[in-house]
């Protein structure tokens, strides 16, 4: 099925209560992300990017407001349905790669398919294809400590795509990589976005990310400051 | 189970075959050998102590022909030593959980249910309990044999005690096998019980919190 908006938030807010202080990590965020879009979320440290990710990714409950993924209000889901959402609808990529250290690259990519109940033969086939697609066909049986940062992030990208998710959420995917490797990862994400039509949302400080994004959402103090489409950004550069 | 329809979604099943869970738990033990070894040591000591006390009582009983030689205080010692080893395991499993906050958060991102996290940790403790039980039994057996040898050799009352095999055959197969079963079952129950709280704690972690944790 096709939906116009893959992600939609409505007056989304997350407050943290620290004694008598209230930290408004998110405070009334309204965004709509179309199917197949590549959106970057930019903002200074502490502006609420990771918090927004956790809300969209079904990893935490908002204080107020709603998140719709493919038109379903995820605040209404129970634990089982949330696990299914994380398993099937969303792929996660982290700054620190977060591969399971005791498993090989292939096993890491197969893990979400185990939870999804994909039969073993098919798991191996699909995981191998995905790893080949991200350029790691010769590293299938290596464990994370034997891979470079860039290679680990490629494994993470393959893993995020394992169950054909609607959305890939990437929180500072280039944050731990050098300039060149970061650029490779960005280009890979963009290519996969075009190829597979998967919606990609990245949080980033990385200005290289602007070039490949369809839209950039600027966050500040938990609020959307402004939203730019790529055309506008390009114009700004020319000025 | 709440597989079914939600809005426009067709919620499918979330699975974790036991064979896969077992493989991952085994891999975790292998790759984190030092931690697992420390946990195992705790259970080995407890079980070895138990086996050696029971064996010594048996040997004494046979050698001296006295009826019952395990005294109340020895039961107390036994109980306390098993308790201490249980607390050691709980402590060590809690550290294992803390070391893996991020991994637990990641697992949940990939679709793991709370009970899957529980299963991973309990399987690990079950394996450790089994291995620790067997190792503890062997250590306890050796201690018992050494005891019989050093205690009774000079008098040579019983020639059988001068060789390990002699001691074993004197005790009889039923005793030796019953002790092995007791060791393994008790070790598994003890490790499971001691790991219940850490595993439950791990399973209940909120994924956002677990991922925030920097190791
Ligand atoms: N669990 C928490 N408890 C208390 N405060 C929190 C918690 N999580 C986040 N915050 C606060 O919420 C605000 C937003 O944090 P968030 O991690 O979303 O920022 P960010 O934009 O991802 O920053 P960075 O670029 O450094 O990763 C910060 O002020 C942070 O201190
Ligand atoms: Mg962040």
């Amino acid at each position: 099925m096709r939906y116009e908006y893959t992600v939609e938030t409505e007056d989304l807010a997350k407050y943290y209560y620290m004694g008598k202080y209230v930290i408004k990590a998110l405070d009334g965020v309204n965004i709509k992300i179309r199917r197949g879009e590549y959106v970057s979320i930019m903002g200074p440290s502490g502006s609420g990017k990771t918090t927004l990710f956790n809300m969209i990714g079904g990893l935490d409950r908002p204080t107020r407001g709603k998140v719709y993924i493919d038109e379903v209000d995820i605040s209404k889901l129970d634990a089982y349905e949330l696990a299914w959402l994380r398993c099937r609808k969303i792929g996660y990529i982290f700054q620190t790669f977060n591969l399971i250290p005791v498993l090989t690259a292939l096993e890491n990519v197969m893990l979400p398919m185990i939870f999804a109940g994909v039969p073993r033969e098919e798991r191996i086939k699909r995981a191998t294809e995905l790893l080949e697609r991200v350029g790691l066909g010769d590293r299938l049986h290596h464990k994370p400590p034997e891979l470079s940062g860039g290679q680990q992030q490629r494994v993470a990208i393959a893993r995020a795509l394992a169950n054909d998710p609607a959305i890939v959420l990437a929180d500072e995917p280039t944050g731990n990589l050098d300039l060149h490797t970061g650029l490779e990862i960005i280009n890979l994400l963009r290519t996969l976005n075009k190829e597979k039509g998967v919606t990609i949302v990245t949080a980033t400080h990385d200005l290289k990310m602007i070039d490949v994004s369809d839209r950039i959402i600027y966050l500040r103090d938990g609020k959307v400051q402004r939203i730019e489409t790529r055309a506008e950004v390009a114009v700004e550069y020319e000025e | 189970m709440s597989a079914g329809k939600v809005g426009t979604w067709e919620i499918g099943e979330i699975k974790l075959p036991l064979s896969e869970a077992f493989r991952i738990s085994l891999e975790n033990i292998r790759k984190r050998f030092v931690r697992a070894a420390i946990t195992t040591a705790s259970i080995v000591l407890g079980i070895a102590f138990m086996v050696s006390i029971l064996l010594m009582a048996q040997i004494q009983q046979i050698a001296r022909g006295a009826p019952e030689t395990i005294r109340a205080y020895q039961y107390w010692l036994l109980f306390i030593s098993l308790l201490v080893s249980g607390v050691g395991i709980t402590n060590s499993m809690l550290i294992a959980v803390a070391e893996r906050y991020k991994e637990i958060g990641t697992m949940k991102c990939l679709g793991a249910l709370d009970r899957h996290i529980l299963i991973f940790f309990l399987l690990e403790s079950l394996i450790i309990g089994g291995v620790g039980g067997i190792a503890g039994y062997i250590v306890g057996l050796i201690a018992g044999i050494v005891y019989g040898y050093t205690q009774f050799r000079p008098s040579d009352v019983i020639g059988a005690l001068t060789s390990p095999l002699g001691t074993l055959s004197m005790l009889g197969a039923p005793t030796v096998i019953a002790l092995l079963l007791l060791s393994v079952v008790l070790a598994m129950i003890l490790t499971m019980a001691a790991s219940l709280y850490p595993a439950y704690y791990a399973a209940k972690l909120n994924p956002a919190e677990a991922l925030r944790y920097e190791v």
Side-chain angles (χ1 to χ4, degrees):
Chain A
M1 240 197 251
R2 306 239 143 198
Y3 315 96
E4 180 170 13
Y5 295 111
T6 301
V7 182
E8 213 176 323
T9 71
E10 229 175 69
D11 189 32
L12 184 64
K14 178 72 179 178
Y15 297 171
Y16 291 105
Y17 298 92
M18 312 289 279
K20 57 182 175 178
Y21 295 101
V22 181
I23 298 168
K24 299 184 173 181
L26 289 178
D27 195 14
V29 170
N30 295 293
I31 55 176
K32 291 179 175 189
I33 296 172
R34 272 189 208 86
R35 190 184 182 80
E37 250 191 315
Y38 192 119
V39 174
S40 284
I41 301 190
M42 292 234 169
S45 189
S47 56
K49 302 181 297 290
T50 299
T51 309
L52 180 59
F53 264 76
N54 292 340
M55 299 299 139
I56 296 175
L59 302 177
D60 208 351
R61 303 252 182 212
T63 308
R64 188 183 77 225
K66 293 199 157 91
V67 177
Y68 297 91
I69 304 289
D70 280 351
E71 298 180 344
V72 171
D73 176 4
I74 66 170
S75 67
K76 297 221 164 64
L77 301 182
D78 63 24
Y80 193 94
E81 292 158 349
L82 273 177
W84 184 86
L85 165 89
R86 297 180 199 133
C87 181
R88 304 299 297 273
K89 286 270 175 186
I90 298 174
Y92 305 82
I93 297 170
F94 306 93
Q95 178 173 353
T96 47
F97 321 132
N98 292 17
L99 299 177
I100 306 297
V102 303
L103 301 180
T104 64
L106 190 68
E107 289 166 335
N108 263 284
V109 180
M110 291 199 298
L111 196 51
M113 299 188 214
I114 292 179
F115 290 122
V118 178
R120 188 175 162 75
E121 295 306 313
E122 199 186 332
R123 282 205 300 266
I124 295 174
K125 183 168 159 282
R126 254 161 70 183
T128 308
E129 279 168 12
L130 280 166
L131 282 168
E132 277 165 1
R133 178 62 197 84
V134 299
L136 291 177
D138 55 344
R139 291 284 189 281
L140 300 182
H141 303 292
H142 287 241
K143 296 203 168 150
E146 303 155 14
L147 299 171
S148 72
Q151 288 171 334
Q152 288 189 50
Q153 198 60 303
R154 284 164 189 275
V155 176
I157 291 173
R159 185 180 68 181
L161 294 169
N163 287 327
D164 253 322
I167 314 150
V168 168
L169 294 177
D171 195 356
E172 317 225 13
T174 60
N176 276 10
L177 301 173
D178 64 57
L179 199 84
H180 174 72
T181 315
L183 199 59
E184 280 178 2
I185 292 295
I186 290 171
N187 288 333
L188 177 63
L189 283 173
R190 180 55 169 177
T191 315
L192 291 168
N193 160 252
K194 290 244 168 92
E195 228 172 64
K196 296 182 182 283
V198 59
T199 310
I200 296 191
V201 185
T202 65
T204 186
H205 294 291
D206 194 337
L207 294 173
K208 297 191 291 296
M209 208 66 106
I210 291 182
D211 296 333
V212 299
S213 306
D214 296 319
R215 277 195 301 157
I216 298 118
I217 297 174
Y218 290 87
L219 270 191
R220 198 177 187 94
D221 299 330
K223 293 193 166 85
V224 175
Q225 197 179 24
R226 66 198 151 94
I227 300 179
E228 286 173 351
T229 60
R230 192 142 52 123
E232 294 166 33
V233 180
V235 171
E236 257 176 40
Y237 272 158
E238 280 163 23
E239 284 170 2
Chain B
M1 292 281 168
S2 58
K5 241 177 138 61
V6 174
T8 50
W9 301 355
E10 197 69 55
I11 306 273
E13 252 186 273
I14 298 285
K15 292 182 183 161
L16 179 62
L18 211 55
S19 59
E20 294 294 340
F22 190 81
R23 230 174 37 77
I24 291 172
S25 294
L26 208 59
E27 209 56 41
N28 257 316
I29 292 175
R30 269 176 21 132
K31 288 294 144 182
R32 295 180 163 101
F33 188 73
V34 174
R35 159 111 283 121
I38 292 169
T39 318
T40 312
S42 192
I43 193 76
V44 168
L45 290 178
I47 295 295
F49 186 66
M50 179 193 78
V51 169
S52 63
I53 282 197
L54 293 178
L55 261 186
M56 286 175 203
Q58 281 279 328
I59 290 172
Q60 274 189 358
Q61 193 178 339
I62 294 167
R64 298 215 170 103
E68 180 58 72
T69 39
I70 297 186
R71 307 215 181 91
Y73 83 92
Q74 283 177 310
Y75 278 120
W76 253 115
L77 273 181
L78 213 70
F79 175 72
I80 299 291
S81 78
L82 289 179
L83 197 68
V84 167
S85 104
V87 170
I89 295 164
T90 304
N91 182 43
S92 155
M93 285 303 275
L94 276 175
I95 297 172
V97 169
E99 276 177 345
R100 284 188 239 168
Y101 273 173
K102 209 170 223 166
E103 233 175 282
I104 294 164
T106 307
M107 283 279 190
K108 288 195 165 186
C109 286
L110 303 182
L113 293 165
D114 288 4
R115 69 177 138 96
H116 295 152
I117 307 292
L118 199 70
I119 286 173
F120 282 129
F121 280 99
L122 288 186
L123 271 181
E124 245 177 76
S125 75
L126 213 58
I127 297 168
I128 287 174
V131 172
I134 293 171
Y137 167 76
I138 293 170
V139 172
L141 207 60
I142 292 172
I145 288 167
V146 168
Y147 166 82
Y149 181 72
T150 54
Q151 201 71 0
F152 295 102
R153 196 170 73 122
S155 60
D156 233 15
V157 181
I158 292 169
L161 287 171
T162 50
S163 81
L165 275 177
T167 313
L168 287 182
S169 67
M170 187 193 77
L171 287 165
T175 308
V176 174
I177 291 169
L179 263 181
L180 172 63
L181 287 181
L182 176 71
S183 300
V184 173
V185 170
L186 195 69
M188 279 176 146
I189 292 176
L190 192 68
T191 348
M192 279 274 269
S195 308
L196 222 50
Y197 171 70
Y200 180 79
Y201 179 82
K204 283 289 162 201
L205 279 176
N206 164 322
E209 285 297 316
L211 286 168
R212 257 169 71 85
Y213 201 81
E214 284 303 328
V215 185

